[in-house]
Structure formats: structure tokens, C-alpha cells
Amino acid sequence: TVLLKKPKRAPTLRDCLRHTSGMPFGSVLDTPTIDAVLLRDAVRVYAITPLTYEPGTKHVYSNAGINTAGRVIEVASGMSYEEFMA
């Protein structure tokens, strides 16, 4: 199922970390592996991918949500996720 209307509220960073964002597991860029794609590019695709449910209403594992949280770290720190974690 896909949510093809504007959600009641936007997904939050907390939703991304709790797997309650409504984002799908991944996107077409993640196939066969996300390792070949920069987080910057992956998150751009997630931003235009319909949500699968209203944010905060379900718990469904989502690589897209975790990757989005990683991108927030990159933007906030000015470093790549890998550099920040090291």
C-alpha cells in the first residue's frame, strides 16, 4: 500500500530512527545495493517516493529512514557519514 496523499504530518528525525516514518524499506536506487549510491542521492529519491503509511502510526523497518538520518548527520556535521562515525 502507498500513501498517495499528503500525510497529516511530516516524518520527523525521531520517526526515521524509530522506523515509524512511513518511508518504504528502500527505493529503486538501493537495488542491488545502497553501497553504490551516495546518501545525498538516495535521500533525494526517498523524498519523492510515496509514504507507505501515516508517519508515527506503525513500526516497519525502513532502510530509507535510517539512511535519511545518516544524511542529516552529514549535513549537520559537514562530514560524510563515514567520517563522522570514525
Side-chain angles (χ1 to χ4, degrees):
T1 307
V2 210
L3 187 63
L4 294 176
K5 60 181 181 159
K6 184 175 180 175
K8 292 177 183 161
R9 67 169 178 84
T12 64
L13 183 55
R14 180 173 288 193
D15 287 322
C16 289
L17 293 169
R18 288 183 172 177
H19 303 287
T20 59
S21 66
M23 294 177 170
F25 181 78
S27 75
V28 294
L29 284 183
D30 298 350
T31 307
T33 177
I34 186 68
D35 296 336
V37 180
L38 295 173
L39 282 178
R40 174 189 69 214
D41 298 329
V43 171
R44 284 183 181 141
V45 173
Y46 303 148
I48 61 170
T49 302
L51 298 176
T52 56
Y53 57 88
E54 286 286 339
T57 62
K58 287 174 138 180
H59 177 270
V60 178
Y61 188 80
S62 169
N63 276 346
I66 294 298
N67 292 339
T68 299
R71 179 62 182 147
V72 170
I73 289 171
E74 288 184 336
V75 172
S77 71
M79 297 186 251
S80 72
Y81 178 75
E82 292 82 6
E83 290 172 321
F84 182 86
M85 294 307 289

